[in-house]
Amino acid sequence: MSERKYFGTDGIRGTVGQFPITPEFVLKLGWAAGKVLGKKGKIVIGKDTRISGYMFESVLEAGLTAAGVSSFLVGPMPTPAIAYLTRTFRADAGIVISASHNPFQDNGIKFFSAAGTKLPDSVELEIEALLEQEMTSLPSDQLGKAYRIEDAAARYIEFCKASVPNDFNLDGMKIVLDCANGATYHIAPYVFKELGAKVIKTGVEPDGLNINHECGATHLEPLCKAVVEHQADIGIAFDGDGDRLMMVDANGTVINGDQLMFLMAYHLQQKGQLKGGVVGTLMTNMAIENALTKMDIPFERSKVGDRYVMESLQKNGWLIGGESSGHLIHLDYNSTGDGIVAALQVLRVIKEQEKGIGELVAQFPLFPQTMINVRVTDAKAVMANEDLQRLVQQVDAELADKGRVLLRASGTEPLIRVMVEADDANVATKMAEKLAQKVRNIA
């Protein structure tokens, strides 16, 4: 095997009840993962709040048990919390049952190594190779066990608070917090409240079906409205599994991941504390790259996906990276994208700069960007279409040094993402529509 069959950009994901997101497959996946990863016989399992998590938690536990690996069950917890708990429990690996920003009908399984990082392709291929074999069970005296960790939430709350100095506080700050009815619902409000903020919380009543539904980091309109209505200083939104962060300024204007990543790097450079450069992705706004270059901060683009950002950071020995969608990595604090920790680092910038976030980002305006998602049946076939590729080249030539175009197949959904940046918003929209229509015609 040289190409992954089941694993995508961020684990294995799909619609519940449709292969491979079925109980039978996930049972065997747990067994295969236990065989490959469970050297010491201990794996942490967490999940978000979608209703199917109960089912997949049970079958993963059974598969691991059959492989002789014990499960440490922590219940609903943010994805970055599993990375942290995997390290602190000295476990072999961590497993997260989540489809991140997707609706409740979807679910997925993603893994962390013992170091709290996403698995390399080579290890995912090992797991996939075992999935082609017959599942077996060890003798009864060699089976794994299952343990429920009752204080997991409290452990992670303290971990988040420890990412800022002891004298840091949010006294006098009013924050509207949207937890997307997801895995941060019982974590984030306590973190910000205990640091002194007045917290107005929303998206904290998960029922198994409302995760990401018209709320959270992918649906910011309610948060924008709430910030203005409550005359709050800032709005903070996470996605369903808590590894993405988006913010809203006091005027209800969205601040995306590119801008937040830049603020962290810019602030550290001003303090003389930035180590190396910054890693973005193919989607990172060109204005961010230009601003970093002017500041003599090295910048590198990785493929889309926080795992690839992480690989580039490790290769270069840098600390800060992220995506416009809100995955933000700061390796001084966690080994993966962490929405709560990243929010605290941005709030620290605001406090130390003594400026509102809107005022800070206004100094570095983004290029207008138009993104259109086109649902397709066969993304690979569409991307390989020669007429489409010729049109991409034509648009790229027209934009020249005043913009850029990017077409890519989503790693988590059956979509072609069409993105055009230009120094003129009308041009960006016109070119993106032209490309999107071409994709629709082919699909």
Side-chain angles (χ1 to χ4, degrees):
M1 296 177 67
S2 59
E3 185 176 339
R4 293 174 302 166
K5 183 177 179 182
Y6 304 112
F7 283 90
T9 305
D10 195 15
I12 301 172
R13 190 180 300 185
T15 301
V16 174
Q18 297 180 16
F19 187 84
I21 308 302
T22 63
E24 296 85 357
F25 179 86
V26 175
L27 172 70
K28 195 169 185 182
L29 177 64
W31 169 79
K35 288 284 192 183
V36 172
L37 300 171
K39 307 304 180 187
K40 294 183 291 187
K42 183 191 295 187
I43 289 179
V44 175
I45 301 179
K47 59 184 180 178
D48 64 24
T49 57
R50 62 196 76 220
I51 194 167
S52 58
Y54 293 100
M55 175 172 67
F56 292 123
E57 181 183 55
S58 297
V59 292
L60 272 174
E61 176 195 324
L64 290 169
T65 300
V69 177
S70 293
S71 303
F72 286 70
L73 307 171
V74 301
M77 289 291 287
T79 287
I82 305 307
Y84 161 68
L85 292 167
T86 298
R87 298 194 307 271
T88 197
F89 279 113
R90 308 298 194 270
D92 295 303
I95 302 178
V96 183
I97 305 164
S98 175
S100 189
H101 59 282
N102 288 26
F104 83 93
Q105 295 93 337
D106 293 343
N107 215 331
I109 311 294
K110 46 190 172 183
F111 296 86
F112 286 108
S113 70
T117 59
K118 300 290 177 68
L119 300 182
D121 292 356
S122 58
V123 176
E124 291 180 346
L125 285 169
E126 281 187 67
I127 293 172
E128 290 201 356
L130 273 180
L131 288 170
E132 303 302 316
Q133 299 180 21
E134 182 181 356
M135 180 178 168
T136 59
S137 175
L138 291 173
S140 295
D141 61 347
Q142 297 177 39
L143 295 175
K145 298 179 180 180
Y147 304 89
R148 178 70 61 179
I149 307 302
E150 301 292 348
D151 66 343
R155 286 171 180 255
Y156 183 59
I157 288 169
E158 292 307 311
F159 167 77
C160 292
K161 288 160 57 182
S163 72
V164 289
N166 288 336
D167 61 354
F168 174 84
N169 69 72
L170 298 171
D171 294 350
M173 181 171 278
K174 186 188 290 188
I175 297 173
V176 180
L177 194 62
D178 186 345
C179 295
N181 292 313
T184 61
Y185 81 98
H186 61 319
I187 306 286
Y190 290 101
V191 171
F192 296 101
K193 185 177 179 180
E194 289 177 17
L195 287 171
K198 179 179 180 181
V199 176
I200 299 158
K201 56 187 180 180
T202 183
V204 292
E205 297 180 354
D207 61 9
L209 309 177
N210 61 0
I211 185 170
N212 300 314
H213 180 65
E214 298 180 354
C215 59
T218 52
H219 301 278
L220 291 165
E221 296 84 359
L223 179 61
C224 295
K225 184 178 179 182
V227 168
V228 174
E229 285 181 352
H230 290 281
Q231 297 183 320
D233 298 292
I234 200 165
I236 298 174
F238 306 109
D239 66 337
D241 72 330
D243 62 357
R244 287 192 189 193
L245 164 70
M246 298 288 268
M247 286 187 167
V248 172
D249 72 11
N251 296 317
T253 302
V254 173
I255 314 296
N256 73 12
D258 284 347
Q259 294 166 296
L260 298 174
M261 176 181 70
F262 177 80
L263 282 184
M264 289 192 292
Y266 164 73
H267 183 60
L268 286 175
Q269 196 222 32
Q270 283 196 323
K271 295 170 66 176
Q273 296 175 1
L274 181 64
K275 301 169 187 175
V278 173
V279 175
T281 72
L282 296 173
M283 300 298 293
T284 300
N285 195 284
M286 186 182 288
I288 298 297
E289 180 176 11
N290 292 347
L292 290 170
T293 300
K294 289 178 182 176
M295 295 163 59
D296 294 322
I297 298 176
F299 176 77
E300 183 174 297
R301 292 183 186 271
S302 74
K303 291 192 290 185
V304 173
D306 60 327
R307 61 181 293 177
Y308 300 115
V309 173
M310 183 67 177
E311 287 174 5
S312 293
L313 289 173
Q314 291 174 321
K315 177 192 71 177
N316 291 307
W318 298 349
L319 297 176
I320 293 179
E323 300 186 274
S324 53
S325 61
H327 285 125
L328 298 171
I329 300 174
H330 194 316
L331 293 181
D332 268 342
Y333 303 109
N334 206 345
S335 55
T336 190
D338 189 320
I340 297 175
V341 169
L344 290 175
Q345 304 317 309
V346 174
L347 292 172
R348 187 177 174 186
V349 172
I350 292 168
K351 282 282 189 175
E352 294 181 7
Q353 292 275 343
E354 297 182 341
K355 295 178 181 177
I357 192 168
E359 185 181 355
L360 285 170
V361 299
Q363 302 172 74
F364 310 99
L366 297 178
F367 277 17
Q369 186 182 81
T370 298
M371 167 81 80
I372 301 175
N373 293 321
V374 183
R375 192 162 292 272
V376 297
T377 303
D378 188 341
K380 285 186 177 180
V382 173
M383 290 298 292
N385 184 276
E386 292 184 2
D387 288 343
L388 177 61
Q389 292 305 320
R390 275 194 292 271
L391 182 58
V392 170
Q393 291 171 7
Q394 290 172 16
V395 172
D396 215 21
E398 283 186 57
L399 291 171
D401 60 351
K402 295 183 178 180
R404 66 189 187 103
V405 59
L406 177 67
L407 257 71
R408 70 177 187 90
S410 169
T412 57
E413 300 175 84
L415 301 172
I416 298 295
R417 303 195 191 278
V418 179
M419 189 276 287
V420 177
E421 281 177 357
D423 58 0
D424 183 314
N426 292 329
V427 171
T429 300
K430 179 182 175 183
M431 295 298 189
E433 288 287 359
K434 185 176 181 179
L435 288 164
Q437 189 56 51
K438 185 69 172 179
V439 172
R440 294 185 193 104
N441 291 342
I442 296 167

